[in-house]
Every structure is written in C-alpha cells, then in structure tokens.
C-alpha cells in the first residue's frame, strides 16, 4: 500500500478524499528528513497503530454477541420496533417459509448494511473536514461519537435504541480513513508501506482478541437479565474513552495550518466525488491518466467491488449460520474468529508483505479462487471440522486478496495522485460492504444458509476469472 508524496515540494493529496494542496515548506521538510528517514517509521504511526487497536478491540467485541443480542430483542421487544418490523414482513415470511428465528438474520443484515453505508458516506466528508480543521480535532470528534454509540448500546433496553446506537457508530467511523490520512502525512513513498502494514496488523489483532473479549463477557452473563449486555457495552466504551485520552496526550497534529484547505465547501465538494457511485466506478477524480491506465483502474475497481459485495454479505452472515445451524455459543464463535485471525496475521506478516511485485496479480487471483470452495464448504458443512476447514480457506484467501489488489491499484497515477486512486478504491469497497450484508441476509432468510453459501461461492468465480484474464497496463 505504498502511495503519495515522494517529495515535499509536490502536491499532497489526502488519502481520505481531501483537497490538493501545495506544500513547499522548508521547515517541515527539515523535520521530516530527521523524523521520517527512508527506512524509519515515524513515531506518529505507532500512535495511530495503538489507537486503532483500542478502537478495533471495542468494535469487534460485538461480533460473537450479535446473534444473541438480536435473539434477545426477538423474545423481549414484543411491543417495540422489532415486533413491528416482524409484523411488516409476516406475509413474505409465510410465503418463503422462513422461521421466526431467521428474522434476526434479516434485521442483522439491515443493521450491517446501514452501519457500512453510513461509514461509506461519512468517511470522505470527515476527511474533507480534516483538510480544513486538522486531523486531530476531527479524529477526537469521531472518537467521541463512537463512545456515545457504546453508551447507547449499554442502555438499549429495546431494539430501537440499539438501532440508534449503530446509526451513531456508523456516522462516527470516519476515524479509520483519518488514520490513513495521518500516516500519509508523516510518511514518504519508501516507508509508507511499513505504516500501512502496521494498520493491517492492528486489524488482525483486533479481530483476534476483540471477539474473544466479547465471548468471555457473554459466557459469564445471565442472558435472562434485561441488561446482560450492559457490561460488554460499557467495557467497549471504556476502551474508546482510553483511546480518546491517549490520542489527546500523544497524537500530534500532522496537517499544519498553512497547509490546510481554506474553503470548507470546496473541500466538501471534492469529498462528494467519493460518494457518487458513477464517479467512483469511472475514477473521475483521477486526472491526466492515459486511457490504458484508466481502463485498468476501472477494471480493478469493478472486480474489487463485485468481490467485496458477495464476500462481505457471506462473511457477515457467518455468525448467524454458526448460531442457528450449529448452536455455537459466543465462545465457540470466538474460537473460529481466533483461528481465522491467527492464520491471516501469520500469512500477512510472513508471506504477503514479502511478495515480489511480479507475483502480486497471480497471488490475488489465487486468493479469489480459494474463497469459492471456502464458502461452499461452509454452506454444506455438517460438522465442526468442515466449518473450520472452510473458515481456514476463508482466512488464507482474505490474507491475500485485499492487500494484493490494493498493491495492484497503487501502481496507477503519479505519486501525487496515488492518495486519490486509493481513496476511490477504498470507497468502492465501502459501498460494496454497505450493500452486501442486506442481500446475503435476505437470501439466508428466504432460501436458507446452504443455498445462499453455495450460490455465493459459485458467483465468486466471476471476479476470479475477470482478474485472471485481465492484462494490466
């Protein structure tokens, strides 16, 4: 994930969708030459790493708890929003023969898509505001919003409040794109890859440890109690409050005042290019590319979107499949997350980051093909051993595909355009994640898990074949 800024005399482009700015700052150049040597990682990157780790531990805690949470609302929110939504789909439910317990899968899909869609909309806007008001200030606002979402979760005695909590959390999740922008600010083309690798490690650790924490809380909670989820929600909020204090004390502003955008509306108008799907698929914000390079970018963006659209939907519903079909407890689910997280972390740390450039496309294709049997095996699984086989294949595939496709995309555009290129690429991924869960959940609800996963796995052959037979410029 190397991109942006070979020299401080060139234009700087915010990776979250910000405004181009000239940065001929000799003082800053001197500072960077001391603090960000070609083979060194700036200390701010480690601050971002630890902040992301705290945030992701809190964020992933809910994963093994979500099926139990929605089941709780199904049983107890008999006069509230959950009940009214169930009544509104009763006709379709009877038509497809979906049992009442599968309504939680459908509603979970809506929540997952809503959260990702809000993140998709908010991230470029947050990035644009940080171009004007500074990274740290906007980062702190995002973290306060995330803390508020966990507080709302803690008091969500009914489904409506829980929905509001997820709504606030989705709007506040622009901190991820801001973290990328901060790393871009303090890195150059020679050490930026190391910074992005640390971000990947933070995600892997978060998805290994966070679900285990959530599962431990679940195991020792009395789920018959009306506030059994209060303790994990408050623990998640405590992690975020610690993150806020840590950022306040340790994060230095990385975008000096004289380098900031002067006009808010101009910065926001550029950000909206990252929300308009038509502009995204055409890479309209990337200027002065050759027609051949632009076509390669469009093809990569389309493949990535199709892959993540199908992949994210099936990934989101895995917890419901384990809960409803196999009766997995939160601890059982956390063990699955632990296994996949360890496999991904080992591969990313030992293999993926050392791949030679000539093998990048081939490795991405291999990863795409591996996801096909992964989901088919999970769909037809009748034993725990088959579930683990499918999820290990899933982890191997995931370790390669996103990183390799991002590396392929980062080759396009001049050094002062790479932030824009990758910003659009990430936005396409966010849009796919906003749509995938609801479609997969509707399929799970209406035709069952087996057919959903088999069909999804077969459909994933399409992006695999597209990438295999794409000749990139």
């Amino acid at each position: 994930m190397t991109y942006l800024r070979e020299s401080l005399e060139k234009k700087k482009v915010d990776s979250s969708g910000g405004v181009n700015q000239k940065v001929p700052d000799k003082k800053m150049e001197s500072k960077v030459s001391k603090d960000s040597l070609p083979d060194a990682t700036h200390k701010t990157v480690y601050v971002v790493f630890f902040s992301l780790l705290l945030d992701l531990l809190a964020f992933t805690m809910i994963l093994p708890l979500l099926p139990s949470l929605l089941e709780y609302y199904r049983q107890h929110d008999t006069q509230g929003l959950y009940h009214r939504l169930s009544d509104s789909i009763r006709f379709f439910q009877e038509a497809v023969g979906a049992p009442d317990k599968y309504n939680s899968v459908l509603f979970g899909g809506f929540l997952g898509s809503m959260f990702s869609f809000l993140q998709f909309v908010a991230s470029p806007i947050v990035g644009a505001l940080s171009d004007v008001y500074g990274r740290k200030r906007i980062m702190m606002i995002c973290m306060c919003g995330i803390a508020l979402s966990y507080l709302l979760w803690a008091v969500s005695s009914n489904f409506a409040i829980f929905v509001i909590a997820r709504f606030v959390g989705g709007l506040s999740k622009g901190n991820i794109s801001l973290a990328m922008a901060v790393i871009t600010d303090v890195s150059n083309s020679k050490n930026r890859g190391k910074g992005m690798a640390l971000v990947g490690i933070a995600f892997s650790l978060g998805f290994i440890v966070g679900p285990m924490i959530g599962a431990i809380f679940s195991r020792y909670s009395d789920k018959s109690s009306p506030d059994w989820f209060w303790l994990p929600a408050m623990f998640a909020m405590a992690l975020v409050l610690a993150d806020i204090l840590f950022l306040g004390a340790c994060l230095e502003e990385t975008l000096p005042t004289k380098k900031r955008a002067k006009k808010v509306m101009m910065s926001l108008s550029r950000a909206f290019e990252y929300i308009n799907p038509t502009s995204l698929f055409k890479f309209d914000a990337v200027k002065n590319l050759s027609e051949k390079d632009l076509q390669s970018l469009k093809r990569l963006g389309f493949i990535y979107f199709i892959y993540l659209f199908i992949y994210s939907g099936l990934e989101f519903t895995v917890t419901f499949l384990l809960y409803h079909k196999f009766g997995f407890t939160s601890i059982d689910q956390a063990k699955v997350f632990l296994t996949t997280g360890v496999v991904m972390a080992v591969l990313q740390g030992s293999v993926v980051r050392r791949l030679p450039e000539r093998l990048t496309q081939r490795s991405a294709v291999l990863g795409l093909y591996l996801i096909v049997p992964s989901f088919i095996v999970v769909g037809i699984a009748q034993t725990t051993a088959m579930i683990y086989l499918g999820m290990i294949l899933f982890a191997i595939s995931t370790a390669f595909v996103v990183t390799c496709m991002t590396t392929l995309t980062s080759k396009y555009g001049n050094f002062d355009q790479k932030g824009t290129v990758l910003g659009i690429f990430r936005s396409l991924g966010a849009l796919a994640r906003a749509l995938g869960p609801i479609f997969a959940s509707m399929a799970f609800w209406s035709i069952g898990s087996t057919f959903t996963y088999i069909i999804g796995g077969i459909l994933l052959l399409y992006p695999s074949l597209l990438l295999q037979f794409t000749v990139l410029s």
Side-chain angles (χ1 to χ4, degrees):
M1 297 173 67
T2 58
Y3 61 99
L4 199 57
R5 202 170 67 179
E6 284 275 338
S7 166
L8 291 169
E9 298 298 324
K10 301 291 185 178
K11 289 182 180 180
K12 182 164 79 94
V13 180
D14 183 309
S15 66
S16 60
V19 175
N20 291 346
Q21 304 166 63
K22 293 286 188 178
V23 289
D25 189 339
K26 296 296 183 182
K27 184 177 179 181
M28 178 62 72
E29 183 179 52
S30 174
K31 181 178 179 181
V32 172
S33 65
K34 294 178 181 179
D35 297 339
S36 298
L37 297 172
D39 294 326
T41 300
H42 197 282
K43 62 182 181 179
T44 301
V45 175
Y46 295 104
V47 174
V48 170
F49 165 78
F50 189 71
S51 171
L52 278 178
L53 182 58
L54 288 174
D55 173 55
L56 289 164
L57 288 175
F59 173 72
T60 55
M61 275 179 55
I62 199 173
L63 295 178
L65 300 175
L66 190 56
S68 299
L69 272 170
L70 293 174
E71 183 65 17
Y72 170 83
Y73 291 124
R74 183 179 76 85
Q75 295 177 6
H76 293 87
D77 193 22
T78 55
Q79 301 299 320
L81 178 61
Y82 196 103
H83 178 73
R84 292 196 295 274
L85 289 174
S86 295
D87 284 346
S88 68
I89 62 171
R90 186 71 60 191
F91 172 79
F92 301 101
Q93 182 181 354
E94 292 173 354
V96 300
D100 283 344
K101 66 179 183 179
Y102 277 11
N103 287 354
S104 64
V105 183
L106 187 63
F107 298 157
F110 275 107
L111 285 175
S113 286
M114 179 192 74
F115 188 95
S116 295
F117 179 76
L118 291 170
Q119 186 178 2
F120 162 70
V121 172
S123 291
I125 295 175
V126 163
L129 291 174
S130 77
D131 281 349
V132 179
Y133 300 108
R135 312 290 191 218
K136 184 173 181 176
R137 181 184 302 181
I138 304 301
M139 176 81 82
M140 297 293 280
I141 292 173
C142 286
M143 297 309 300
C144 288
I146 293 171
L148 175 61
S149 74
Y150 293 131
L151 177 61
L152 288 170
W153 174 26
V155 299
S156 58
S157 57
N158 59 64
F159 186 58
I161 298 177
F162 184 69
V163 172
I164 294 171
R166 302 303 290 172
F167 187 91
V168 173
L171 280 180
S172 305
K173 214 61 180 140
N175 66 307
I176 303 294
S177 62
L178 281 182
M180 302 294 187
V182 169
I183 290 174
T184 297
D185 290 340
V186 299
S187 303
N188 57 38
S189 62
K190 295 182 179 180
N191 60 25
R192 187 167 297 112
K194 297 178 181 178
M196 294 304 174
L198 280 175
V199 172
I201 293 171
F203 270 85
S204 295
L205 290 175
F207 278 83
I208 291 171
V209 181
M212 291 298 297
I213 297 173
I216 291 170
F217 277 114
S218 175
R219 181 172 184 176
Y220 295 103
S221 298
D222 178 9
K223 293 188 175 60
S224 62
S225 171
D227 57 354
W228 68 269
F229 46 79
W230 182 86
L231 196 55
M234 291 302 292
F235 185 80
M237 188 178 76
L239 287 174
V240 176
L241 290 176
D243 198 354
I244 292 172
L245 293 175
F246 172 72
L247 287 173
C250 299
L251 181 64
E252 298 177 358
E253 177 56 59
T254 59
L255 187 63
T257 303
K258 57 185 170 184
K259 294 184 178 181
R260 297 177 190 174
K262 304 304 180 183
K263 296 181 180 180
V264 176
M265 294 309 298
M266 184 180 296
S267 186
L268 287 175
S269 66
R270 179 65 60 87
F272 285 125
E273 292 183 355
Y274 290 77
I275 300 173
N276 183 340
T278 302
S279 296
L280 284 177
F281 281 103
K282 292 181 178 180
F283 283 80
D284 282 344
V286 185
K287 309 299 182 184
N288 302 320
L289 277 186
S290 69
E291 184 62 28
K292 190 175 182 181
D293 282 357
L294 184 59
Q295 290 305 315
S296 293
L297 262 184
K298 289 180 180 178
R299 176 60 68 93
L300 283 173
F302 178 74
I303 293 170
Y304 187 61
F305 175 83
I306 295 298
Y307 158 72
L308 267 186
F309 171 74
I310 302 170
Y311 168 94
S312 64
L314 300 179
E315 176 193 40
F316 180 84
T317 54
V318 163
T319 56
F320 293 96
L321 178 143
L322 298 177
Y323 180 82
H324 289 296
K325 183 175 179 179
F326 291 92
F328 274 28
T329 64
S330 296
I331 287 289
D332 294 330
Q333 294 197 40
K335 290 177 182 177
V336 174
F337 284 114
L338 175 63
T339 302
T340 56
V342 169
V343 171
M344 284 190 285
V346 169
L347 287 175
Q348 287 171 336
S350 62
V351 179
V352 178
R353 70 186 184 92
R354 291 190 173 94
L355 281 173
E357 183 177 339
R358 60 186 174 80
L359 295 180
T360 303
Q361 183 174 354
R362 192 180 304 173
S363 299
V365 170
L366 174 63
L368 282 170
Y369 276 122
L370 273 179
I371 203 70
V372 176
S374 165
F375 283 124
I376 292 176
V377 168
V378 170
I380 65 175
Q382 298 297 323
T383 65
T384 301
M386 287 188 70
I387 283 291
Y388 272 91
L389 173 61
M391 294 305 293
I392 288 172
L393 289 174
F394 164 88
I396 296 171
S397 169
T398 303
F400 282 91
V401 175
V402 174
T403 302
C404 290
M405 290 202 68
T406 303
T407 302
L408 289 172
T409 305
S410 70
K411 298 175 183 178
Y412 294 95
N414 297 325
F415 65 86
D416 62 339
Q417 296 176 309
K418 294 188 184 295
T420 303
V421 169
L422 288 172
I424 294 172
F425 194 68
R426 284 194 299 273
S427 290
L428 284 170
L431 180 60
R433 287 187 176 276
L435 298 174
I438 185 56
F439 280 90
S441 297
M442 289 174 64
F444 190 117
W445 178 74
S446 58
I447 64 175
S449 59
T450 300
F451 284 116
T452 297
Y453 278 79
I454 291 175
I455 293 170
I458 293 171
L459 289 176
L460 280 165
L461 281 171
Y462 178 58
S464 308
L465 290 167
L466 276 182
L467 185 60
Q468 180 179 1
F469 294 105
T470 294
V471 179
L472 298 175
S473 59

